[in-house]
Amino acid sequence: YLKSEDLCYTLPNFNLVVTVTSPNNEVTIMFADIVGSTRLYETMGDEIAEKLVTSTLKQLSSIASKSQGVTIKTGGDDVMCSFSNVEHALNAARDMHLFLAARSAPSKDYKIAIRIGANTGPVIASEGDLYGDAVNLAARVAALARGGKTLVTNAGSNGKFPGVMDMDVRNG
């Protein structure tokens, strides 16, 4: 395994290098997934839905960056980011949910929401991507979350929360 101090990401289309470091040499991985994207494509049509999904993922990446995160990749209807600590990841998660809650619905029948999962642990970096149990667990936790929710493993919460934390931005 590589330690987070050994990881260095070059952001595509930028002359900028971001190094992810943390005091405990672990990285917090966060997945944010657009809920119900299949329905979005059925409701809005492929072209409009693709533009909406793409623009949403760009905004989510920008929010992650503002919270000192690095977008590792986007795929279909989700974004994978890394952070040097869980606090930065949770700040990004909160801001992502709030951004989408304030955004106008693309139609009266559909409001975009995301589900987020995060986990902290060692990762393997290869060809601009991250691999390992920490990544796999973060993806599985994201799949368990409901729309508008963020789930963080106990490892990801650095023991600050018992079990899995459930953050609902609608109820504070």
Side-chain angles (χ1 to χ4, degrees):
Y1 287 105
L2 292 174
K3 295 181 179 182
S4 62
E5 63 206 23
D6 299 326
L7 301 179
C8 183
Y9 308 102
T10 302
L11 300 176
N13 304 322
F14 295 95
N15 294 322
L16 172 57
V17 174
V18 179
T19 303
V20 177
T21 60
S22 69
N24 59 3
N25 293 322
E26 294 183 322
V27 175
T28 299
I29 303 296
M30 184 179 84
F31 283 88
D33 176 54
I34 297 174
V35 177
S37 62
T38 301
R39 182 169 175 247
L40 177 65
Y41 279 87
E42 292 168 354
T43 304
M44 306 297 293
D46 290 345
E47 189 175 325
I48 293 171
E50 185 277 329
K51 287 180 182 176
L52 188 57
V53 167
T54 299
S55 68
T56 299
L57 294 177
K58 285 180 183 177
Q59 288 292 329
L60 298 180
S61 293
S62 175
I63 292 168
S65 178
K66 290 176 185 171
S67 293
Q68 301 180 32
V70 176
T71 297
I72 303 303
K73 63 182 173 181
T74 60
D77 63 355
D78 68 8
V79 61
M80 175 183 161
C81 305
S82 68
F83 298 84
S84 61
N85 63 57
V86 69
E87 289 82 10
H88 292 153
L90 290 177
N91 286 336
R94 179 200 60 228
D95 292 347
M96 289 175 180
H97 286 301
L98 291 173
F99 166 75
L100 290 173
R103 190 176 190 185
S104 298
S107 81
K108 64 181 181 171
D109 300 323
Y110 192 87
K111 176 81 173 158
I112 291 182
I114 54 173
R115 63 175 137 243
I116 297 176
N119 181 53
T120 300
V123 296
I124 297 170
S126 177
E127 297 183 19
D129 205 348
L130 299 178
Y131 302 91
D133 288 337
V135 175
N136 296 335
L137 186 53
R140 281 184 252 145
V141 169
L144 294 173
R146 292 178 291 155
K149 301 281 186 164
T150 295
L151 296 178
V152 180
T153 65
N154 198 39
S157 68
N158 294 327
K160 293 179 185 175
F161 312 100
V164 176
M165 185 190 74
D166 187 359
M167 179 174 79
D168 185 342
V169 295
R170 292 172 295 190
N171 297 324

